């Protein structure tokens, strides 16, 4: 008995002795995978924010006080990085929706319906493409460049008759400008993987203030018109307040706005089944916001549609922020050609939504991954029997606009460009003298 207990005690003692010297248990494979995912997410997050964190030093704007010296050319360079590298998808989509929201302005909508500029699908798609080409030319080229000034001068000419006869008011012009200035900031905050930094917001305000000056849009309705603005960020903040007040006063539901909204939605998503069209209208209502949606007679989004849209965007944001590396330079998104094509001496679009206006057929634009996805969504490809009707040779800025305006307006455009030279358009728009602004505005009225 004792021998047996002794043996048992001995074994127990030996077990305790060897257990004390045993190596610790190996960590769970699941724990290792989770740890690696966490490390990877932290690394991606670091590299994702590296561009925005390096921006102040790279552009010599270390603090808010230095923003006042930002030139329009510097602002354009900062924003081009956002459009082509940081947020290429939703930055361009925010500009498209800014254009879409201009059709909620009663005067603009009634003018488009009355002039029948959107009376048939092809005319509508060309007008949208021409507007897009002008916007890209003025935003993706330095304001001091000939290309940006040509686009601004052409835009001024196309608006001139409607501004002269009062069909488009100065307030309408300022509200339209506010949409293009504010929508990228709003969309980045709502749907992108990060919001714009204060420096990027300042750049947004600086560029669009310069564009507003070049288009002779008066800012007399804004509070700091007499004292001047500290920088682009302050100007944009005041513009946002004024824009919201304009919407409260002017954006009322109307048949013209509703008609344009339906036509545009059908153009953007041509293959949408009729049974799903009402849900698609609700998705657009989420994108444009409650006030604009009501003006365009869009339905109030259901809780389900709201949840799907916002949930999808939230998932996308989390994936981009933590798991997708930042876009490399070689994958920079190009929207327009850098040089005119040697055969046509015209510029080409590199991106399109549904119909490939001004897109030259190449292996990339016809057989690449993105073109094939677009085809599945109802878009057309450049080239071939179908695509050749969309001017694949390209565009000349002086010819953009309605067909009856083709080849017209050269004298007005020359005058407009001389005015931009007087403004030193690439410089800071907050250092312009009142005399220079007044002289330009009087010259336009005469």
């Amino acid at each position: 008995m004792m021998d047996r207990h002794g043996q048992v005690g001995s074994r127990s003692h030996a077990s305790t002795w060897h257990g004390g010297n045993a190596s610790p248990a190996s960590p769970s494979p699941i724990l290792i995978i989770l740890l690696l995912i966490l490390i990877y997410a932290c690394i991606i997050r670091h590299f994702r924010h590296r561009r925005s964190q390096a921006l102040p030093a790279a552009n010599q704007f270390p603090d808010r006080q230095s923003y006042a010296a930002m030139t329009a050319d510097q602002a354009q360079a900062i924003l081009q990085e956002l459009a082509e590298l940081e947020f290429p998808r939703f930055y361009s989509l925010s500009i498209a929706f800014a254009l879409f929201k201009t059709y909620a302005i009663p005067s603009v909508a009634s003018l488009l319906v009355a002039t029948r500029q959107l009376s048939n699908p092809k005319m509508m798609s060309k007008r949208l493409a021409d507007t897009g080409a002008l916007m890209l030319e003025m935003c993706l080229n330095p304001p001091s460049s000939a290309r940006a000034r040509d686009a601004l001068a052409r835009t001024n000419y196309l608006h001139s008759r409607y501004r002269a006869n009062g069909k488009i008011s100065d307030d309408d012009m300022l509200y339209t400008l506010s949409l293009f200035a504010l929508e990228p900031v709003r969309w980045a905050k709502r749907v992108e993987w990060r919001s714009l930094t204060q420096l990027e917001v300042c750049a947004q305000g600086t560029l669009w203030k310069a564009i507003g000056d070049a288009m002779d849009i008066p800012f007399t309705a804004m509070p700091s018109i007499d004292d001047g603005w500290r920088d682009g960020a302050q100007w944009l903040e005041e513009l946002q307040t004024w824009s919201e007040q304009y919407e409260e006063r002017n954006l009322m539901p109307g048949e013209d706005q509703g008609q344009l909204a339906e036509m545009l939605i059908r153009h953007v998503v041509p293959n949408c089944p009729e049974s799903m069209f009402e849900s698609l209208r609700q998705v657009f209502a989420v994108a444009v916001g409650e006030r604009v949606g009501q003006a365009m007679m869009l339905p109030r989004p259901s809780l389900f549609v709201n949840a799907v849209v916002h949930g999808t965007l939230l998932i996308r944001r989390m994936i981009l922020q933590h798991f997708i590396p930042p876009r490399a330079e070689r994958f920079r998104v190009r929207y327009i050609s850098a040089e005119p094509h040697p055969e046509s001496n015209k510029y080409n679009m590199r991106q399109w939504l549904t119909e490939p206006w001004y897109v030259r057929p190449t292996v990339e634009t016809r057989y690449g991954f993105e073109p094939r996805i677009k085809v599945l969504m109802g878009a057309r490809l450049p080239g071939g029997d179908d695509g050749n009707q969309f001017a694949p040779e390209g565009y000349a800025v002086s010819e953009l606009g309605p067909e009856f305006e083709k080849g017209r307006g050269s004298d007005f455009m020359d005058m407009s460009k001389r005015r931009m030279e007087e403004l030193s358009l690439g410089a800071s728009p907050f250092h312009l003298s009142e005399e220079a602004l007044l002289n330009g505005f009087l010259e336009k009225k005469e």
Side-chain angles (χ1 to χ4, degrees):
M1 176 75 66
M2 291 185 61
D3 290 340
R4 182 180 301 172
H5 285 302
Q7 290 175 359
V8 170
S10 175
R11 288 173 183 170
S12 175
H13 178 72
S15 174
T16 303
W17 177 262
H18 289 299
N21 288 290
S23 59
S26 300
S28 165
I30 295 178
L31 185 62
I32 293 175
I33 292 172
L34 291 176
L35 182 60
L36 290 175
I37 290 175
L38 179 62
I39 293 172
Y40 176 81
C42 292
I43 292 172
I44 292 298
R45 184 180 177 87
H46 167 75
F47 282 102
R48 271 276 173 188
H49 288 271
R50 191 168 59 170
R51 281 197 189 107
S52 61
Q53 291 170 349
L55 201 60
N59 291 273
Q60 298 181 344
F61 296 119
D63 51 35
R64 177 69 185 269
Q65 186 175 357
S66 65
Y67 295 178
M70 182 183 294
T71 68
D73 280 354
Q74 288 173 319
Q76 185 276 331
I78 291 171
L79 298 178
Q80 187 164 355
E81 295 297 294
L82 295 181
E84 296 181 348
L85 283 175
E86 288 285 88
F87 317 127
R89 300 301 172 220
F90 277 99
Y91 194 94
S92 59
L93 195 60
S94 71
I95 295 295
F97 267 90
L99 176 62
F100 182 78
K101 290 174 77 169
T102 63
Y103 301 139
I105 306 173
S107 58
V108 173
S110 60
L111 179 63
L112 289 172
V113 171
T115 57
R116 301 181 63 82
Q117 290 188 33
L118 302 181
S119 59
N120 65 70
K122 186 173 181 181
M123 185 180 294
M124 177 176 64
S125 70
K126 184 180 184 301
R127 186 186 188 280
L128 294 174
D130 287 358
T131 303
L134 289 170
M135 294 297 303
L136 291 170
E137 287 286 340
M138 69 176 70
C139 292
L140 296 181
N141 292 295
S144 61
S145 68
R147 286 183 69 172
R149 294 184 183 190
D150 285 346
L152 284 163
R154 186 63 178 173
T155 304
N156 287 344
Y157 168 70
L158 295 174
H159 287 148
S160 60
R161 70 168 62 191
Y162 304 112
R163 296 185 70 181
N165 61 23
K167 291 184 178 179
I168 299 179
S169 68
D170 287 337
D171 278 1
D172 293 339
M173 292 294 295
L174 182 56
Y175 177 66
T176 301
L177 184 81
S178 76
L179 291 175
F180 289 106
L182 291 166
E183 284 302 295
V185 181
R186 293 167 175 162
W187 278 64
K189 184 176 182 179
R190 288 170 53 197
V191 307
E192 269 298 350
W193 58 272
R194 70 169 175 86
S195 299
L196 267 60
T197 65
Q198 189 178 49
L199 178 59
E200 291 163 342
V201 170
C202 181
Q204 189 77 9
T206 301
L207 178 62
W208 285 98
K209 169 61 165 62
I211 290 175
D213 289 336
M215 296 180 69
D216 286 315
I217 298 176
F219 302 112
T220 52
M222 296 172 64
S224 297
I225 183 64
D226 293 326
D227 299 330
W229 292 273
R230 176 182 177 183
D231 52 33
Q234 184 197 358
W235 178 84
L236 198 64
E237 182 180 353
E238 288 190 10
L239 183 65
Q240 179 175 353
T241 301
W242 180 90
S243 180
E244 292 169 353
Q245 293 170 351
Y246 174 95
E247 290 181 353
E248 291 176 1
R249 295 192 308 267
N250 296 281
L251 296 195
M252 304 298 174
E255 292 294 335
D256 291 339
Q257 299 99 294
Q259 178 183 341
L260 290 178
E262 180 160 347
M263 291 174 64
L264 287 164
I265 293 172
R266 291 188 183 278
H267 172 72
V268 171
V269 191
N271 283 356
C272 179
E274 201 61 35
S275 59
M276 297 181 61
F277 187 69
E278 190 65 16
S279 297
L280 182 63
R281 294 178 73 223
Q282 292 185 42
V283 172
F284 272 74
V286 174
V288 299
E290 182 177 359
R291 187 176 289 128
V292 173
Q294 289 176 354
M296 304 187 89
M297 302 185 72
L298 296 173
R300 183 183 296 274
S302 66
L303 291 177
F304 175 75
V305 170
N306 261 310
V308 168
V309 172
H310 291 296
T312 302
L313 293 174
L314 178 62
I315 292 171
R316 176 187 179 272
R317 174 189 294 179
M318 297 298 293
I319 292 174
L320 282 177
Q321 191 173 43
H322 297 290
F323 299 104
I324 306 298
R327 184 179 294 267
E329 178 65 33
R330 66 179 179 275
F331 296 121
R332 179 185 287 268
V333 176
R334 302 291 185 181
Y335 298 92
I336 50 178
S337 56
E339 301 292 338
H341 195 273
E343 294 179 6
S344 64
N345 199 33
K346 294 182 176 182
Y347 294 98
N348 289 101
M349 300 280 277
R350 302 283 296 274
Q351 306 288 330
W352 72 98
L353 193 59
T354 56
E355 296 182 336
W357 281 99
Y358 311 122
V359 181
R360 185 170 290 274
T362 64
V363 173
E364 180 185 359
T365 59
R366 281 188 61 83
Y367 304 106
F369 176 75
E370 286 194 24
R372 290 295 148 187
I373 296 297
K374 289 178 179 179
V375 168
L376 294 176
M377 298 180 66
R380 298 181 181 182
L381 293 175
D385 295 336
D386 186 49
N388 281 331
Q389 63 179 305
F390 301 111
E393 68 276 8
Y395 61 87
V397 169
S398 60
E399 297 176 354
L400 293 173
E403 193 63 30
F404 67 86
E405 294 287 13
K406 192 172 182 178
R408 302 173 61 182
S410 58
D411 290 341
F412 186 99
M413 291 173 63
D414 289 341
M415 180 193 72
S416 184
K417 285 185 280 189
R418 288 195 300 270
R419 151 87 168 134
M420 294 177 212
E421 289 177 6
E422 295 174 2
L423 292 177
S424 299
L425 193 58
S428 170
F430 301 105
H431 294 159
L432 298 175
S433 67
E434 292 183 7
E435 182 181 359
L437 289 170
L438 182 60
N439 287 341
F441 190 70
L442 292 176
E443 180 183 358
K444 173 198 164 217
K445 292 298 183 183
E446 292 173 359

